[in-house]
Amino acid sequence: MNKRPRSLKILGRLALAGTATWLAYHAYRKKQLQREAPHQGVSPPIAPELIRTALINGVLMRWEEHGERETSQLPVIMVHGIPTNPRIWRYVIPRLTRSGLHCLAWELVGFGWSINAGLGRDISIPKQVEYLRAWLDDQGIDQAVFVGHDVGGGVMQGLLAAYPERVAGLLLVDTVAFDNWPVVAMEMARQFHFVFDKLPPTLLKPIFHVGLRNLGHDNAQRGREAATLLWEPYNSSTGPSGFANQARHVSSRDTQAIADHLPPDGYDIPVRIVWGEKDSLSIESAERLATLLGAPLHCIPGGRHFNPEDHPVIVADEILNLLGSVAQLPTPSGPGPNEP
């Protein structure tokens, strides 16, 4: 029996349900905007989108680069997750460059605006580790301080397991680990990836936004802004195929295998962890990861998943604290005048 027609019907119903939910939510949010407006604080500075590209081993790679490149200090390399891209660090980067740091936000192959580069390629976490290593070699970066969010955090764990000599320090923010993922929306997309592959962007959009909202922001204004930013790379003729390709490669088997290669007594490398108390990627997995890596855990009360956007000052200060522990910078001061 051909399961695809039945799957198409199921997905069609899900799309309709998602559309109805999305419209209802936005009708509700419109009523809340006026009520919320007086309580919104001043937004922190936003980093410009300074894009660099290079063809490395036949793969077109993309990243943002901020601050002056100096051989005397370690760069900070940030890696996003799914369904995000380097713009997730837009509020974090200014606080780092203000301290004189060189920041690079690398884009996962097959994600963000690099969706087309991933089509027909393996974009699993183990393969992303190899893409990242090749990029580091191309850029002449022998060692750096790394920051990973979501799937990017899984890639960081893989880098630590395979190439610990490249890692001077590591910050993991609400990351995939062990078997704490994929979340329900991505698991559904994984099972029906062959259907998502054929959807037009107009049908993918409501499903995408419902899944994004379920992961969630605790800052409503940042959530609305992020929803627009994150959707842009998928709103193209190859966007649904790219999303299906991402879904096809999400697997907790990868992170569980990586965890088996992380030594139980940790490394002589400073590691820190930041996690939202209400993140769908359970706080229990954060505690387990902290124990495995011998890392302090900063739990954000009420925080959800996208903390580089909702709580950029906390994330940036944890990076600065991490750098302090590798003797690069002193302990950070309090928030700047334009930061909440």
Side-chain angles (χ1 to χ4, degrees), residues 54-105:
L55 188 65
I56 302 171
N57 297 341
V59 181
L60 183 63
M61 298 193 191
R62 180 181 180 276
W63 67 97
E64 289 190 24
E65 188 161 353
H66 300 264
E68 296 298 322
R69 182 175 291 214
E70 297 179 12
T71 56
S72 60
Q73 69 176 18
L74 292 172
V76 176
I77 296 173
M78 296 167 279
V79 183
H80 63 94
I82 183 171
T84 58
N85 59 62
R87 286 280 79 198
I88 195 173
W89 307 107
R90 65 194 179 279
Y91 290 116
V92 176
I93 289 168
R95 185 161 177 79
L96 303 181
T97 54
R98 191 175 65 204
S99 297
L101 293 172
H102 179 218
C103 302
L104 303 99

Short mmCIF file of all heavy atoms in Angstrom, two decimals, residues 54-105:
data_model
loop_
_atom_site.label_atom_id
_atom_site.label_comp_id
_atom_site.label_asym_id
_atom_site.label_seq_id
_atom_site.Cartn_x
_atom_site.Cartn_y
_atom_site.Cartn_z
N ALA A 54 33.32 31.73 1.27
CA ALA A 54 34.50 31.10 0.68
C ALA A 54 34.10 29.72 0.18
O ALA A 54 33.26 29.04 0.79
CB ALA A 54 35.62 30.98 1.72
N LEU A 55 34.71 29.30 -0.92
CA LEU A 55 34.50 27.96 -1.46
C LEU A 55 35.58 27.07 -0.86
O LEU A 55 36.77 27.25 -1.15
CB LEU A 55 34.58 27.98 -2.99
CG LEU A 55 34.20 26.67 -3.69
CD1 LEU A 55 32.72 26.35 -3.46
CD2 LEU A 55 34.49 26.77 -5.19
N ILE A 56 35.16 26.12 -0.02
CA ILE A 56 36.10 25.28 0.72
C ILE A 56 35.80 23.82 0.42
O ILE A 56 34.70 23.33 0.71
CB ILE A 56 36.01 25.56 2.23
CG1 ILE A 56 36.28 27.04 2.51
CG2 ILE A 56 36.96 24.66 3.01
CD1 ILE A 56 36.00 27.47 3.94
N ASN A 57 36.75 23.13 -0.18
CA ASN A 57 36.57 21.72 -0.55
C ASN A 57 35.29 21.51 -1.37
O ASN A 57 34.56 20.54 -1.18
CB ASN A 57 36.53 20.82 0.69
CG ASN A 57 37.85 20.84 1.46
OD1 ASN A 57 38.89 21.23 0.91
ND2 ASN A 57 37.81 20.45 2.73
N GLY A 58 35.01 22.47 -2.23
CA GLY A 58 33.84 22.36 -3.10
C GLY A 58 32.53 22.77 -2.46
O GLY A 58 31.48 22.67 -3.10
N VAL A 59 32.57 23.25 -1.22
CA VAL A 59 31.36 23.68 -0.50
C VAL A 59 31.41 25.18 -0.28
O VAL A 59 32.39 25.69 0.28
CB VAL A 59 31.22 22.95 0.86
CG1 VAL A 59 29.95 23.40 1.57
CG2 VAL A 59 31.24 21.45 0.67
N LEU A 60 30.37 25.89 -0.71
CA LEU A 60 30.30 27.32 -0.48
C LEU A 60 29.87 27.57 0.97
O LEU A 60 28.77 27.20 1.36
CB LEU A 60 29.31 27.98 -1.43
CG LEU A 60 29.22 29.51 -1.33
CD1 LEU A 60 30.56 30.17 -1.70
CD2 LEU A 60 28.10 30.05 -2.21
N MET A 61 30.77 28.16 1.76
CA MET A 61 30.47 28.41 3.17
C MET A 61 30.29 29.89 3.41
O MET A 61 30.89 30.74 2.74
CB MET A 61 31.58 27.84 4.06
CG MET A 61 31.72 26.33 3.94
SD MET A 61 32.76 25.63 5.26
CE MET A 61 32.97 23.97 4.64
N ARG A 62 29.48 30.20 4.42
CA ARG A 62 29.05 31.58 4.69
C ARG A 62 29.16 31.84 6.19
O ARG A 62 28.86 30.98 7.00
CB ARG A 62 27.61 31.75 4.20
CG ARG A 62 26.99 33.12 4.38
CD ARG A 62 25.56 33.08 3.84
NE ARG A 62 24.86 34.33 3.96
CZ ARG A 62 24.22 34.74 5.06
NH1 ARG A 62 24.19 33.95 6.13
NH2 ARG A 62 23.59 35.89 5.09
N TRP A 63 29.56 33.05 6.55
CA TRP A 63 29.63 33.43 7.96
C TRP A 63 29.59 34.94 8.09
O TRP A 63 29.77 35.67 7.13
CB TRP A 63 30.91 32.87 8.61
CG TRP A 63 32.20 33.47 8.12
CD1 TRP A 63 32.92 34.48 8.69
CD2 TRP A 63 32.95 33.09 6.94
NE1 TRP A 63 34.06 34.75 7.97
CE2 TRP A 63 34.11 33.91 6.90
CE3 TRP A 63 32.76 32.13 5.95
CZ2 TRP A 63 35.05 33.81 5.88
CZ3 TRP A 63 33.70 32.03 4.93
CH2 TRP A 63 34.83 32.85 4.90
N GLU A 64 29.31 35.39 9.30
CA GLU A 64 29.44 36.81 9.63
C GLU A 64 30.76 37.01 10.36
O GLU A 64 31.18 36.14 11.13
CB GLU A 64 28.29 37.28 10.53
CG GLU A 64 26.95 37.37 9.84
CD GLU A 64 25.91 38.06 10.72
OE1 GLU A 64 26.30 38.85 11.61
OE2 GLU A 64 24.70 37.83 10.51
N GLU A 65 31.37 38.16 10.13
CA GLU A 65 32.64 38.45 10.79
C GLU A 65 32.61 39.88 11.34
O GLU A 65 32.29 40.82 10.61
CB GLU A 65 33.81 38.26 9.83
CG GLU A 65 35.15 38.36 10.49
CD GLU A 65 36.28 37.74 9.66
OE1 GLU A 65 35.98 37.12 8.61
OE2 GLU A 65 37.44 37.87 10.07
N HIS A 66 32.94 40.01 12.62
CA HIS A 66 32.86 41.30 13.30
C HIS A 66 34.12 41.52 14.14
O HIS A 66 34.64 40.58 14.74
CB HIS A 66 31.64 41.35 14.22
CG HIS A 66 30.34 41.15 13.51
ND1 HIS A 66 29.56 42.20 13.08
CD2 HIS A 66 29.68 40.03 13.13
CE1 HIS A 66 28.47 41.73 12.48
NE2 HIS A 66 28.52 40.40 12.50
N GLY A 67 34.57 42.77 14.20
CA GLY A 67 35.76 43.09 14.98
C GLY A 67 37.02 42.86 14.18
O GLY A 67 37.01 42.28 13.09
N GLU A 68 38.14 43.30 14.74
CA GLU A 68 39.42 43.20 14.06
C GLU A 68 40.06 41.84 14.29
O GLU A 68 40.09 41.33 15.42
CB GLU A 68 40.37 44.30 14.56
CG GLU A 68 39.89 45.72 14.26
CD GLU A 68 39.79 45.98 12.76
OE1 GLU A 68 40.67 45.47 12.02
OE2 GLU A 68 38.85 46.66 12.33
N ARG A 69 40.57 41.26 13.22
CA ARG A 69 41.26 39.98 13.32
C ARG A 69 42.70 40.24 13.79
O ARG A 69 43.48 40.89 13.10
CB ARG A 69 41.27 39.26 11.98
CG ARG A 69 41.95 37.90 12.02
CD ARG A 69 41.83 37.15 10.71
NE ARG A 69 40.47 36.73 10.45
CZ ARG A 69 40.15 35.60 9.82
NH1 ARG A 69 41.09 34.78 9.41
NH2 ARG A 69 38.89 35.30 9.59
N GLU A 70 43.02 39.72 14.96
CA GLU A 70 44.36 39.88 15.53
C GLU A 70 44.90 38.51 15.91
O GLU A 70 44.20 37.68 16.47
CB GLU A 70 44.33 40.77 16.78
CG GLU A 70 43.87 42.20 16.51
CD GLU A 70 43.85 43.02 17.78
OE1 GLU A 70 44.40 42.54 18.80
OE2 GLU A 70 43.30 44.12 17.75
N THR A 71 46.18 38.30 15.63
CA THR A 71 46.79 37.01 15.97
C THR A 71 47.08 36.88 17.46
O THR A 71 47.32 35.80 17.96
CB THR A 71 48.10 36.83 15.19
OG1 THR A 71 48.98 37.93 15.48
CG2 THR A 71 47.84 36.77 13.69
N SER A 72 47.01 38.01 18.18
CA SER A 72 47.38 37.99 19.60
C SER A 72 46.24 37.54 20.51
O SER A 72 46.46 37.32 21.70
CB SER A 72 47.85 39.37 20.04
OG SER A 72 46.81 40.33 19.86
N GLN A 73 45.04 37.42 20.00
CA GLN A 73 43.92 37.01 20.84
C GLN A 73 43.10 35.92 20.16
O GLN A 73 43.10 35.79 18.94
CB GLN A 73 43.01 38.19 21.18
CG GLN A 73 42.23 38.74 20.01
CD GLN A 73 41.28 39.86 20.42
OE1 GLN A 73 41.42 40.44 21.48
NE2 GLN A 73 40.32 40.16 19.58
N LEU A 74 42.44 35.14 20.97
CA LEU A 74 41.61 34.07 20.44
C LEU A 74 40.32 34.63 19.87
O LEU A 74 39.67 35.47 20.50
CB LEU A 74 41.28 33.06 21.54
CG LEU A 74 42.44 32.23 22.08
CD1 LEU A 74 41.97 31.42 23.29
CD2 LEU A 74 42.98 31.31 21.01
N PRO A 75 39.89 34.17 18.71
CA PRO A 75 38.59 34.58 18.20
C PRO A 75 37.47 33.85 18.93
O PRO A 75 37.68 32.80 19.53
CB PRO A 75 38.65 34.16 16.73
CG PRO A 75 39.59 33.01 16.70
CD PRO A 75 40.61 33.28 17.78
N VAL A 76 36.27 34.43 18.86
CA VAL A 76 35.07 33.79 19.38
C VAL A 76 34.26 33.33 18.18
O VAL A 76 33.90 34.15 17.32
CB VAL A 76 34.24 34.75 20.25
CG1 VAL A 76 32.94 34.08 20.69
CG2 VAL A 76 35.04 35.21 21.46
N ILE A 77 33.98 32.03 18.11
CA ILE A 77 33.25 31.47 16.98
C ILE A 77 31.90 30.95 17.47
O ILE A 77 31.85 30.11 18.37
CB ILE A 77 34.06 30.35 16.31
CG1 ILE A 77 35.33 30.96 15.71
CG2 ILE A 77 33.22 29.65 15.23
CD1 ILE A 77 36.30 29.95 15.17
N MET A 78 30.83 31.47 16.90
CA MET A 78 29.48 31.14 17.32
C MET A 78 28.76 30.34 16.23
O MET A 78 28.88 30.66 15.05
CB MET A 78 28.70 32.42 17.62
CG MET A 78 29.27 33.19 18.81
SD MET A 78 28.61 34.88 18.96
CE MET A 78 29.63 35.72 17.77
N VAL A 79 28.04 29.30 16.65
CA VAL A 79 27.35 28.44 15.68
C VAL A 79 25.89 28.29 16.13
O VAL A 79 25.63 27.92 17.29
CB VAL A 79 28.03 27.06 15.56
CG1 VAL A 79 27.32 26.23 14.49
CG2 VAL A 79 29.50 27.22 15.21
N HIS A 80 24.98 28.55 15.22
CA HIS A 80 23.54 28.53 15.47
C HIS A 80 22.98 27.12 15.36
O HIS A 80 23.73 26.14 15.25
CB HIS A 80 22.85 29.43 14.45
CG HIS A 80 23.04 28.92 13.05
ND1 HIS A 80 22.13 28.09 12.42
CD2 HIS A 80 24.07 29.10 12.16
CE1 HIS A 80 22.57 27.79 11.20
NE2 HIS A 80 23.75 28.37 11.03
N GLY A 81 21.66 27.00 15.37
CA GLY A 81 21.00 25.70 15.24
C GLY A 81 19.92 25.72 14.18
O GLY A 81 20.02 26.41 13.17
N ILE A 82 18.86 24.95 14.43
CA ILE A 82 17.74 24.85 13.50
C ILE A 82 16.49 25.45 14.17
O ILE A 82 16.26 25.18 15.35
CB ILE A 82 17.49 23.37 13.11
CG1 ILE A 82 16.37 23.23 12.09
CG2 ILE A 82 17.19 22.51 14.32
CD1 ILE A 82 16.23 21.81 11.52
N PRO A 83 15.74 26.31 13.51
CA PRO A 83 15.82 26.76 12.13
C PRO A 83 16.46 28.13 12.01
O PRO A 83 15.97 28.99 11.26
CB PRO A 83 14.35 26.81 11.73
CG PRO A 83 13.67 27.32 12.98
CD PRO A 83 14.47 26.76 14.14
N THR A 84 17.51 28.37 12.75
CA THR A 84 18.08 29.72 12.82
C THR A 84 19.25 29.86 11.84
O THR A 84 19.53 28.99 11.03
CB THR A 84 18.52 30.05 14.25
OG1 THR A 84 19.48 29.08 14.70
CG2 THR A 84 17.33 30.02 15.20
N ASN A 85 19.96 30.98 11.96
CA ASN A 85 21.12 31.29 11.14
C ASN A 85 21.98 32.27 11.94
O ASN A 85 21.65 32.57 13.10
CB ASN A 85 20.66 31.88 9.79
CG ASN A 85 19.82 33.13 9.93
OD1 ASN A 85 20.28 34.15 10.44
ND2 ASN A 85 18.56 33.07 9.48
N PRO A 86 23.10 32.75 11.41
CA PRO A 86 23.98 33.61 12.21
C PRO A 86 23.34 34.86 12.80
O PRO A 86 23.87 35.43 13.76
CB PRO A 86 25.11 33.96 11.23
CG PRO A 86 25.20 32.77 10.35
CD PRO A 86 23.77 32.35 10.14
N ARG A 87 22.20 35.29 12.28
CA ARG A 87 21.53 36.48 12.82
C ARG A 87 21.04 36.27 14.25
O ARG A 87 20.71 37.25 14.93
CB ARG A 87 20.34 36.86 11.93
CG ARG A 87 20.70 37.49 10.60
CD ARG A 87 21.04 38.98 10.75
NE ARG A 87 22.37 39.24 11.25
CZ ARG A 87 22.76 40.40 11.77
NH1 ARG A 87 21.91 41.40 11.89
NH2 ARG A 87 23.99 40.56 12.18
N ILE A 88 21.00 35.03 14.72
CA ILE A 88 20.55 34.81 16.10
C ILE A 88 21.50 35.46 17.10
O ILE A 88 21.12 35.75 18.23
CB ILE A 88 20.39 33.30 16.40
CG1 ILE A 88 19.58 33.11 17.69
CG2 ILE A 88 21.75 32.61 16.51
CD1 ILE A 88 19.22 31.66 17.99
N TRP A 89 22.74 35.74 16.66
CA TRP A 89 23.75 36.34 17.56
C TRP A 89 23.79 37.87 17.45
O TRP A 89 24.69 38.50 17.99
CB TRP A 89 25.12 35.78 17.23
CG TRP A 89 25.18 34.28 17.22
CD1 TRP A 89 25.27 33.47 16.13
CD2 TRP A 89 25.12 33.40 18.36
NE1 TRP A 89 25.28 32.14 16.52
CE2 TRP A 89 25.18 32.07 17.87
CE3 TRP A 89 25.01 33.62 19.74
CZ2 TRP A 89 25.16 30.96 18.72
CZ3 TRP A 89 24.98 32.51 20.59
CH2 TRP A 89 25.05 31.21 20.08
N ARG A 90 22.82 38.47 16.75
CA ARG A 90 22.88 39.90 16.43
C ARG A 90 22.89 40.80 17.66
O ARG A 90 23.43 41.91 17.61
CB ARG A 90 21.72 40.29 15.51
CG ARG A 90 20.33 40.14 16.12
CD ARG A 90 19.23 40.20 15.05
NE ARG A 90 17.89 40.05 15.63
CZ ARG A 90 17.36 38.87 15.95
NH1 ARG A 90 18.04 37.75 15.75
NH2 ARG A 90 16.15 38.81 16.47
N TYR A 91 22.28 40.35 18.77
CA TYR A 91 22.29 41.14 20.00
C TYR A 91 23.48 40.82 20.90
O TYR A 91 23.82 41.61 21.78
CB TYR A 91 21.00 40.90 20.80
CG TYR A 91 19.75 41.47 20.17
CD1 TYR A 91 18.73 40.64 19.73
CD2 TYR A 91 19.60 42.85 20.01
CE1 TYR A 91 17.58 41.16 19.16
CE2 TYR A 91 18.45 43.38 19.44
CZ TYR A 91 17.44 42.53 19.02
OH TYR A 91 16.31 43.05 18.45
N VAL A 92 24.09 39.68 20.69
CA VAL A 92 25.24 39.26 21.52
C VAL A 92 26.53 39.90 21.03
O VAL A 92 27.36 40.37 21.82
CB VAL A 92 25.37 37.72 21.49
CG1 VAL A 92 26.62 37.27 22.26
CG2 VAL A 92 24.12 37.06 22.08
N ILE A 93 26.69 39.96 19.71
CA ILE A 93 27.96 40.39 19.12
C ILE A 93 28.39 41.79 19.53
O ILE A 93 29.57 42.00 19.86
CB ILE A 93 27.88 40.26 17.58
CG1 ILE A 93 27.89 38.78 17.18
CG2 ILE A 93 29.03 41.01 16.90
CD1 ILE A 93 27.54 38.51 15.73
N PRO A 94 27.52 42.82 19.56
CA PRO A 94 28.00 44.16 19.92
C PRO A 94 28.65 44.23 21.30
O PRO A 94 29.61 44.99 21.50
CB PRO A 94 26.73 45.02 19.86
CG PRO A 94 25.86 44.32 18.88
CD PRO A 94 26.10 42.85 19.13
N ARG A 95 28.14 43.49 22.25
CA ARG A 95 28.75 43.51 23.59
C ARG A 95 30.15 42.90 23.57
O ARG A 95 31.02 43.29 24.35
CB ARG A 95 27.85 42.77 24.58
CG ARG A 95 28.34 42.83 26.02
CD ARG A 95 27.23 42.50 27.00
NE ARG A 95 27.71 42.48 28.37
CZ ARG A 95 27.93 43.56 29.12
NH1 ARG A 95 27.72 44.77 28.60
NH2 ARG A 95 28.35 43.45 30.37
N LEU A 96 30.38 41.96 22.67
CA LEU A 96 31.70 41.33 22.56
C LEU A 96 32.68 42.21 21.79
O LEU A 96 33.83 42.39 22.22
CB LEU A 96 31.57 39.97 21.87
CG LEU A 96 30.62 38.97 22.53
CD1 LEU A 96 30.61 37.66 21.74
CD2 LEU A 96 31.01 38.71 23.99
N THR A 97 32.25 42.78 20.67
CA THR A 97 33.15 43.62 19.89
C THR A 97 33.49 44.90 20.65
O THR A 97 34.57 45.46 20.47
CB THR A 97 32.53 43.96 18.52
OG1 THR A 97 31.23 44.54 18.70
CG2 THR A 97 32.42 42.71 17.67
N ARG A 98 32.59 45.35 21.52
CA ARG A 98 32.88 46.51 22.36
C ARG A 98 34.05 46.23 23.29
O ARG A 98 34.77 47.14 23.72
CB ARG A 98 31.63 46.86 23.17
CG ARG A 98 31.71 48.21 23.89
CD ARG A 98 30.39 48.53 24.56
NE ARG A 98 30.06 47.58 25.61
CZ ARG A 98 28.83 47.33 26.03
NH1 ARG A 98 27.81 47.93 25.45
NH2 ARG A 98 28.61 46.49 27.01
N SER A 99 34.26 44.95 23.60
CA SER A 99 35.40 44.55 24.43
C SER A 99 36.64 44.22 23.58
O SER A 99 37.62 43.68 24.09
CB SER A 99 35.03 43.31 25.27
OG SER A 99 33.99 43.62 26.17
N GLY A 100 36.57 44.53 22.28
CA GLY A 100 37.71 44.34 21.41
C GLY A 100 37.87 42.94 20.84
O GLY A 100 38.94 42.59 20.33
N LEU A 101 36.81 42.13 20.91
CA LEU A 101 36.90 40.75 20.45
C LEU A 101 36.65 40.61 18.96
O LEU A 101 35.92 41.40 18.36
CB LEU A 101 35.91 39.89 21.22
CG LEU A 101 36.19 39.72 22.72
CD1 LEU A 101 35.04 39.01 23.40
CD2 LEU A 101 37.48 38.94 22.93
N HIS A 102 37.25 39.58 18.40
CA HIS A 102 37.01 39.21 17.00
C HIS A 102 35.99 38.09 17.00
O HIS A 102 36.23 37.01 17.55
CB HIS A 102 38.32 38.75 16.36
CG HIS A 102 38.19 38.31 14.94
ND1 HIS A 102 38.88 37.24 14.43
CD2 HIS A 102 37.44 38.80 13.91
CE1 HIS A 102 38.59 37.09 13.15
NE2 HIS A 102 37.71 38.02 12.82
N CYS A 103 34.83 38.33 16.40
CA CYS A 103 33.71 37.38 16.45
C CYS A 103 33.37 36.89 15.05
O CYS A 103 33.24 37.69 14.12
CB CYS A 103 32.47 38.03 17.05
SG CYS A 103 32.70 38.67 18.72
N LEU A 104 33.21 35.58 14.94
CA LEU A 104 32.79 34.97 13.68
C LEU A 104 31.58 34.09 13.96
O LEU A 104 31.63 33.23 14.85
CB LEU A 104 33.91 34.14 13.06
CG LEU A 104 35.22 34.90 12.79
CD1 LEU A 104 36.21 34.62 13.91
CD2 LEU A 104 35.83 34.48 11.46
N ALA A 105 30.50 34.33 13.23
CA ALA A 105 29.29 33.53 13.38
C ALA A 105 29.15 32.66 12.13
O ALA A 105 28.71 33.13 11.08
CB ALA A 105 28.07 34.43 13.56
#
